[in-house]
Amino acid sequence: MAELPNMIQDLALILVVAGVVTLIFKKLKQPLVLGYIVAGFLVSPHMPYTASVADMESVHLWADIGVMFLLFSLGLDFSFKKILRMGASPIISTCTIIFSMSMLGVCVGQLFGWAKMDCIFLGGMLAMSSTTIIYKAFDDLGLRQQQFAGLVMSVLILEDILAIVMMVMLSAIARGNDVGGGQMLESVMRIGFFLILWLVVGIFAIPLFLRSVRQLINSEVLLVVSLGLCCAMAVFSTKVGFSSAFGAFIMGSILAETVEAERIEKLVEPVKNLFGAIFFVSVGMLVDLNILVEYALPIFTLVLTILVGQAVFGTFSFMLGGESLKSAMRCGFSMAQIGEFSFIIASLGLSLGVISDFLYPVVVAVSVITTFLTPYMIRLATPAYNKLERRLPTKMTKLLNQVNIGSQHTQEKSKWKKLLTQMSINTIIYSILTSAVIAVMFTFVLPFMRKMLPGWHLHWYANAITGFLTVVLIAPFLRAMVMKKNRSEEFKALWAESNRNRFPLLFTILVRMVIAITFIFYICNYLSRFTNALMITIGVIVVLMIVFSRWVKHRSITLERLFIQNLRSRDIEAQVHGKKRPLYEGRLLDRDIHIADFEVPSDSEWMGQTLKQLNFGQKYGVHISSILRGGHRINIPDGDYVIFPGDILQAIGSDAQFTAFRDALEKERLGADTEIEKREMLLRQLIIGNDSPFIGKSLIESGIRDQYSCMVIGLEEGKESLSVYKPTRKFQEGDIIWVVGEREALDCLLHAAATNR
């Protein structure tokens, strides 16, 4: 018999141990992520008393896939549009946290006398909180609906993006290069270029593709297509120097804007849970008892540094972003751990040979310990705030929790600022798209054309054809760059207000035209040997032809409208099916009052009851503003509305009220049927004897249904099929009837039928 590969044996061991441990943790009401880490420690080679995995490389491969799918699912659940709506607050908080924790890590490393590069890389590791661990902890603790959780996830996503910049800078430091403004600016510009390019092209192309094949896609095909797009973007991301997890997150953010987003999220969830479990198990497998003992003091110090540092600097950073003291403390305490990006930074240092060998296992141990403590730190935030509130003066507490209501809604932006901001964004986006088209044409099309037209005399024809095709492709982008916003309300108002505004307005058009001419100049310069004066002249003529071309104008408007439609497709679908959020969501006066959705489980005790009977307002303090049922919205439901399984209750309340409401929703359930095997339905024949107590009674009088919980399905009269037994017919001696019921109920009925009165 063939022997199983080590990979299958390891997978069986991991899943069996993880299943047993997570059942124990579920029974103890502990977060499952901690159970996965304990399971990883039990099956690791460092644990001599239990069976251990044999092929660590395969486990690490599965773990990398787990991180990729976790971040893909995170992108589906938290798109970039949500971050943009939050404004500058998460950016301020992220930058402050990264700077503070990096400096703190460097100082701790120097305190232990470690090498300079060890200290620098340690600072980078301590600055990166774990997106996957916090996301899982929020999910297990039932906190994803709370307001502060959205703020934390915004900062974590920005941290993951800035981690790539940090890795570039650390690589430059390790190689002894200059890491001044030029290196940093180049890294930021590179990330911004690909980020905008992927989002714009992805939002334009992918919804268009899914819309064209919508009739052909079922759940199985959609799952395969979604994971294929995720893996393709992960591969492309690694090809341009980023991580696969970052690419998976980008693809998730793109798919989050499509109509199929919610369906994809549900289909991907089992895959995410499987590989995510393997990832967390792999983290536990990296725990080494020898390292824990030898470096116990540094590990303890680093754990304390992360817990206290994130609690203090994290809280301060979120307060700088405009959050109240209570909300900022909940956010800061939630980020007190390090995770997957810290491992990536440590691996980078090892691959470059610039950090000591002990640093990686130390960081892993710190990560595992802080991961264990993450749920408890999240729970500790509110008691810590309550204790701090009692000690602080009342005036200071009110000042720290002061809410500036409606400030950003009432302050009018200047017309110049709004116009220039819109023009700048458009110019950047269309410049990136134009650059991408030129790069693709010169990299792939130009060599192909030169191969098709070989020889020196045909070389110019290949260049000319490629140049012409390139200009045709970028023409809609160049026209939009030059002409967009020239007829906007702000432009017209500024033009009419004063003659002094007209020259600056014309100058904005001139600047954008110069940028467009520069692209044409670059194409001509790359493909020809014309003089600069001739190329500039050609550039001016081509740009003017593009600006005044009706075909280019029509094409540019069509592409822009299609992009906007794709970007709004999920919002349109939400409006059509009654799932769009109400407009008053952002205008709730109390900072702690917000809106959250709760799905009624299929086994909830609430189903079949009316809102009046459930009395949510009096019990939990929440108000049900809408019920989403079967793609329809029931707004302001009255007390007579009945709750059904699968209903999504849109509630208004505070975090504390939502916690009580969610706990009740989870607890008040019918639960699993522990004796389901006894519920088997059987079919039995019942013969009415001369001493049966049922003789002379009708079906209703016999109590077969009400007393014995059985059902008569027919009367046997020698025909091919059973006769329908009428409820008014009296049982007679010799009747042969067929009844259906559970085994115990049938036994009782047969015993009663054979017993004399």
Side-chain angles (χ1 to χ4, degrees):
M1 185 174 178
E3 187 175 340
L4 279 176
N6 289 333
M7 182 177 66
I8 304 299
Q9 296 182 25
D10 291 342
L11 182 61
L13 177 63
I14 288 172
L15 294 182
V16 168
V17 175
V20 173
V21 174
T22 50
L23 283 173
I24 296 173
F25 272 68
K26 191 72 174 178
K27 182 69 175 178
L28 298 175
K29 297 181 179 180
Q30 299 298 316
L32 296 184
V33 63
L34 302 182
Y36 291 138
I37 294 175
V38 170
F41 175 70
L42 293 177
V43 301
S44 70
H46 305 298
M47 186 65 177
Y49 307 108
T50 57
S52 59
V53 298
D55 189 357
M56 289 291 292
E57 292 185 4
S58 297
V59 175
H60 291 322
L61 176 62
W62 291 332
D64 292 339
I65 297 174
V67 173
M68 188 173 67
F69 286 151
L70 281 169
L71 288 182
F72 176 63
S73 181
L74 178 63
L76 285 170
D77 188 57
F78 206 86
S79 67
F80 271 98
K81 286 169 65 176
K82 295 181 181 179
I83 301 176
L84 295 176
R85 292 192 192 106
M86 293 184 177
S89 176
I91 298 176
I92 296 172
S93 302
T94 304
C95 294
T96 308
I97 290 173
I98 290 179
F99 176 78
S100 302
M101 294 304 298
S102 297
M103 293 298 100
L104 198 59
V106 171
C107 293
V108 171
Q110 291 179 343
L111 181 66
F112 285 104
W114 293 347
K116 179 181 178 182
M117 295 306 301
D118 289 338
C119 297
I120 294 174
F121 272 79
L122 179 65
M125 298 174 206
L126 265 57
M128 296 292 110
S129 297
S130 173
T131 305
T132 51
I133 291 171
I134 296 176
Y135 182 76
K136 184 70 174 176
F138 281 161
D139 206 19
D140 292 343
L141 295 174
L143 299 176
R144 279 178 56 193
Q145 294 93 350
Q146 299 204 5
Q147 193 174 24
F148 83 98
L151 300 173
V152 173
M153 298 313 298
S154 300
V155 169
L156 289 170
I157 291 168
L158 291 174
E159 274 193 357
D160 290 346
I161 295 172
L162 292 178
I164 300 168
V165 181
M166 181 179 292
M167 290 173 65
V168 174
M169 295 176 60
L170 290 174
S171 299
I173 294 174
R175 295 186 178 98
N177 296 335
D178 179 24
V179 291
Q183 181 78 18
M184 187 183 299
L185 181 61
E186 181 184 351
S187 304
V188 172
M189 289 179 64
R190 187 163 171 267
I191 293 172
F193 176 85
F194 283 105
L195 193 60
I196 295 174
L197 178 64
W198 289 340
L199 288 175
V200 173
V201 175
I203 292 173
F204 180 84
I206 291 177
L208 193 64
F209 164 72
L210 293 177
R211 193 181 307 131
S212 63
V213 298
R214 188 167 292 162
Q215 295 180 345
L216 305 175
I217 289 183
N218 56 17
S219 296
E220 180 181 357
V221 175
L222 184 60
L223 174 63
V224 174
V225 169
S226 303
L227 294 182
L229 290 172
C230 168
C231 295
M233 180 58 81
V235 171
F236 189 72
S237 176
T238 55
K239 293 294 184 182
V240 296
F242 302 141
S243 68
S244 59
F246 180 67
F249 170 76
I250 295 297
M251 181 51 66
S253 299
I254 294 171
L255 290 174
E257 309 304 336
T258 65
V259 175
E260 291 81 5
E262 294 182 8
R263 190 177 166 197
I264 294 172
E265 191 173 358
K266 291 180 180 178
L267 291 172
V268 170
E269 187 173 6
V271 181
K272 175 201 73 174
N273 290 339
L274 173 62
F275 285 99
I278 295 174
F279 164 70
F280 290 112
V281 169
S282 71
V283 172
M285 292 170 62
L286 295 173
V287 178
D288 188 347
L289 288 176
N290 295 327
I291 294 294
L292 290 177
V293 173
E294 185 178 354
Y295 290 91
L297 181 60
I299 291 173
F300 174 77
T301 305
L302 289 174
V303 169
L304 195 63
T305 300
I306 293 171
L307 298 180
V308 177
Q310 286 286 9
V312 175
F313 291 114
T315 299
F316 175 72
S317 301
F318 279 99
M319 290 181 67
L320 281 182
E323 294 304 309
S324 65
L325 177 60
K326 182 177 182 179
S327 177
M329 287 185 67
R330 299 188 75 183
C331 294
F333 277 59
S334 300
M335 299 183 66
Q337 82 293 117
I338 57 176
E340 56 279 355
F341 262 110
S342 300
F343 303 153
I344 295 172
I345 293 174
S347 300
L348 174 66
L350 286 177
S351 64
L352 295 173
V354 295
I355 65 173
S356 304
D357 293 336
F358 72 87
L359 191 57
Y360 188 92
V362 165
V363 169
V364 170
V366 171
S367 173
V368 172
I369 295 172
T370 53
T371 299
F372 263 106
L373 297 176
T374 294
Y376 306 104
M377 287 293 292
I378 295 174
R379 291 170 175 164
L380 181 64
T382 301
Y385 167 77
N386 294 333
K387 190 171 183 179
L388 181 63
E389 185 183 28
R390 289 193 295 268
R391 294 180 177 273
L392 289 176
T394 305
K395 290 184 178 180
M396 181 178 292
T397 304
K398 290 182 178 179
L399 179 65
L400 294 175
N401 287 321
Q402 186 176 2
V403 181
N404 298 320
I405 300 174
S407 59
Q408 65 182 31
H409 296 287
T410 57
Q411 293 179 0
E412 295 269 341
K413 291 184 177 180
S414 68
K415 296 174 184 176
W416 270 112
K417 183 178 180 181
K418 187 175 181 181
L419 179 64
L420 293 176
T421 301
Q422 292 174 344
M423 286 182 174
S424 301
I425 293 174
N426 289 330
T427 302
I428 292 172
I429 292 175
Y430 287 118
S431 296
I432 290 174
L433 292 174
T434 302
S435 302
V437 171
I438 294 173
V440 170
M441 294 297 291
F442 287 179
T443 305
F444 300 104
V445 179
L446 182 59
F448 174 76
M449 294 301 298
R450 288 178 175 175
K451 186 179 293 185
M452 292 292 293
L453 300 172
W456 179 254
H457 59 289
L458 296 177
H459 181 81
W460 292 104
Y461 290 101
N463 289 358
I465 294 172
T466 304
F468 175 76
L469 293 176
T470 305
V471 171
V472 170
L473 290 175
I474 68 174
F477 303 143
L478 296 182
R479 188 192 183 281
M481 183 193 304
V482 175
M483 300 301 294
K484 192 168 175 60
K485 298 301 177 183
N486 292 347
R487 295 184 179 180
S488 63
E489 296 298 325
E490 295 82 10
F491 192 98
K492 292 178 181 178
L494 290 169
W495 185 275
E497 279 179 6
S498 173
N499 292 333
R500 291 179 299 178
N501 291 336
R502 296 185 178 181
F503 177 77
L505 290 172
L506 292 173
F507 183 73
T508 60
I509 300 175
L510 179 62
V511 170
R512 287 176 287 154
M513 184 172 287
V514 169
I515 295 174
I517 293 171
T518 303
F519 283 109
I520 303 297
F521 178 89
Y522 175 79
I523 295 172
C524 295
N525 183 59
Y526 190 89
L527 298 175
S528 69
R529 294 184 177 180
F530 297 145
T531 61
N532 290 341
L534 181 58
M535 286 189 290
I536 293 173
T537 304
I538 293 174
V540 172
I541 294 173
V542 171
V543 170
L544 290 176
M545 291 174 62
I546 289 173
V547 168
F548 292 107
S549 170
R550 289 181 176 271
W551 179 85
V552 175
K553 177 181 178 181
H554 175 73
R555 189 64 180 166
S556 176
I557 294 173
T558 302
L559 291 174
E560 184 174 349
R561 286 178 178 174
L562 184 59
F563 176 81
I564 297 299
Q565 179 184 347
N566 290 343
L567 188 63
R568 296 186 61 246
S569 60
R570 192 173 183 183
D571 293 335
I572 295 171
E573 185 262 348
Q575 281 185 337
V576 171
H577 292 96
K579 295 186 288 186
K580 187 160 179 68
R581 289 280 191 167
L583 294 175
Y584 62 81
E585 180 181 13
R587 294 175 171 82
L588 295 171
L589 297 181
D590 190 341
R591 179 188 289 265
D592 200 30
I593 300 296
H594 57 286
I595 298 173
D597 295 341
F598 299 87
E599 184 173 355
V600 179
S602 58
D603 59 346
S604 175
E605 293 181 358
W606 295 357
M607 59 184 181
Q609 300 188 57
T610 64
L611 291 176
K612 185 186 298 183
Q613 293 172 325
L614 293 168
N615 198 13
F616 294 142
Q618 291 294 327
K619 289 182 180 178
Y620 314 110
V622 302
H623 303 278
I624 305 301
S625 61
S626 301
I627 299 176
L628 306 181
R629 178 181 298 161
H632 298 279
R633 174 187 289 274
I634 303 170
N635 288 326
I636 318 299
D638 58 33
D640 295 327
Y641 271 95
V642 178
I643 298 298
F644 288 93
D647 281 353
I648 297 178
L649 307 180
Q650 196 168 84
I652 302 176
S654 65
D655 286 342
Q657 292 165 345
F658 284 158
T659 300
F661 184 71
R662 187 184 184 282
D663 290 343
L665 182 63
E666 290 294 327
K667 289 179 181 177
E668 297 179 19
R669 302 174 72 164
L670 299 176
D673 191 348
T674 57
E675 298 183 347
I676 193 170
E677 291 80 5
K678 298 180 180 180
R679 306 300 184 196
E680 182 184 10
M681 297 289 284
L682 301 175
L683 177 65
R684 292 279 180 86
Q685 184 187 68
L686 174 62
I687 301 176
I688 305 297
N690 57 4
D691 59 347
S692 174
F694 297 144
I695 293 178
K697 293 183 179 181
S698 66
L699 187 59
I700 298 175
E701 294 170 342
S702 68
I704 290 177
R705 177 186 289 270
D706 298 332
Q707 184 177 349
Y708 298 101
S709 300
C710 295
M711 181 176 65
V712 176
I713 63 170
L715 175 67
E716 188 173 321
E717 295 180 324
K719 301 178 183 179
E720 185 176 350
S721 59
L722 296 178
S723 302
V724 177
Y725 197 97
K726 297 180 180 179
T728 56
R729 182 185 182 279
K730 305 287 185 180
F731 285 106
Q732 302 174 10
E733 182 182 350
D735 281 350
I736 301 175
I737 61 175
W738 289 86
V739 292
V740 168
E742 295 179 7
R743 182 183 299 275
E744 291 185 3
L746 287 173
D747 291 342
C748 291
L749 175 62
L750 294 175
H751 178 75
T755 303
N756 198 343
R757 298 183 192 179

